[in-house]
Amino acid sequence: QRKTLVVAPALAGGDATRHRSTHRQPSGVSALGFATAIAGAIALGGAALVIYQQVAAAPATEVSGSAPMPEVLDVGDRSGPPGVARQLPEQQTRVQPPAQTGRATVPADFKRINGLNYVLSQSYHSREEALAQAACDAWLAAGLGATIERGVPGWDKRLSVVGIEGFERTGNNAEYDAYRRRLMEVSRGATAANRRLRGFDPQPIQWGRG
């Protein structure tokens, strides 16, 4: 009697399953996925290049809405020779001369001229010689020459402090007016420093007139 070999299906299926599981696909990025990534990177790079070219070609941003003012940079008359700046119209400016600050000196042989007007700032009693000298020193310290005189007509018995600057006229004379204002400034400084001094009272006297 012949024996028949029977193979169980479960065992056959199990062997087939184990055979297929032993041939798994290697892990990692597939060729299709890698190609897709490369294509995406190239596309992004191209888009960035296009954006950069558009920005570079765009006009500069306007920072001010005001109209251009070329005259601000105009430093010369373009109609004249090149390199020569346009001359502005001259304007007369009155400049006050600086006040004298050096101490004045009076020459020993100084003599006043008859007929000219000199300024007498103050007169003192013969017993007030020290005050007369202090007033004269204030003149000299301010750069204005002066002397102490005796027997000036009208102040015969007094000591008079008289300037050495002579004026042909005292009316309508800007130089005389400025001279007198300067004396008043000296007076304010002298009386502030020495309370015994009286303020100056500048008066013009014509020298040599008896």
Side-chain angles (χ1 to χ4, degrees):
Q1 183 178 357
R2 190 178 55 185
K3 296 181 180 180
T4 304
L5 180 62
V6 177
V7 179
L11 293 176
D15 291 341
T17 302
R18 285 196 300 267
H19 180 74
R20 285 195 301 269
S21 62
T22 58
H23 296 281
R24 294 178 180 177
Q25 186 174 354
S27 62
V29 181
S30 64
L32 179 59
F34 182 79
T36 302
I38 293 297
I42 294 175
L44 289 176
L49 179 61
V50 172
I51 294 174
Y52 172 78
Q53 291 176 347
Q54 291 178 352
V55 172
T61 304
E62 184 178 359
V63 298
S64 175
S66 59
M69 302 176 64
E71 64 272 9
V72 174
L73 302 178
D74 186 13
V75 296
D77 188 356
R78 295 188 180 89
S79 61
V84 179
R86 180 178 57 191
Q87 295 182 353
L88 298 176
E90 295 182 357
Q91 295 183 355
Q92 185 66 27
T93 304
R94 184 175 181 83
V95 180
Q96 295 292 339
Q100 297 182 3
T101 56
R103 185 177 179 85
T105 57
V106 181
D109 58 348
F110 170 76
K111 293 182 179 180
R112 292 178 177 84
I113 301 174
N114 291 338
L116 291 183
N117 297 284
Y118 297 86
V119 177
L120 185 153
S121 66
Q122 190 58 273
S123 64
Y124 301 87
H125 195 276
S126 59
R127 296 190 302 270
E128 298 176 319
E129 185 174 356
L131 292 178
Q133 187 61 55
C136 186
D137 287 342
W139 277 64
L140 299 175
L144 302 174
T147 61
I148 299 174
E149 300 295 333
R150 298 176 184 267
V152 175
W155 294 270
D156 298 330
K157 298 180 180 181
R158 299 180 68 85
L159 303 175
S160 301
V161 180
V162 184
I164 65 174
E165 184 74 21
F167 300 91
E168 293 184 355
R169 70 178 191 278
T170 58
N172 194 25
N173 188 337
E175 292 183 0
Y176 172 79
D177 294 339
Y179 185 81
R180 192 177 187 280
R181 286 194 299 270
R182 177 64 176 148
L183 278 179
M184 296 308 298
E185 293 177 0
V186 174
S187 174
R188 286 189 288 271
T191 54
N194 187 347
R195 296 299 180 88
R196 296 180 58 195
L197 280 178
R198 297 188 301 274
F200 294 170
D201 183 19
Q203 300 181 37
I205 57 173
Q206 190 176 40
W207 200 255
R209 182 178 180 181

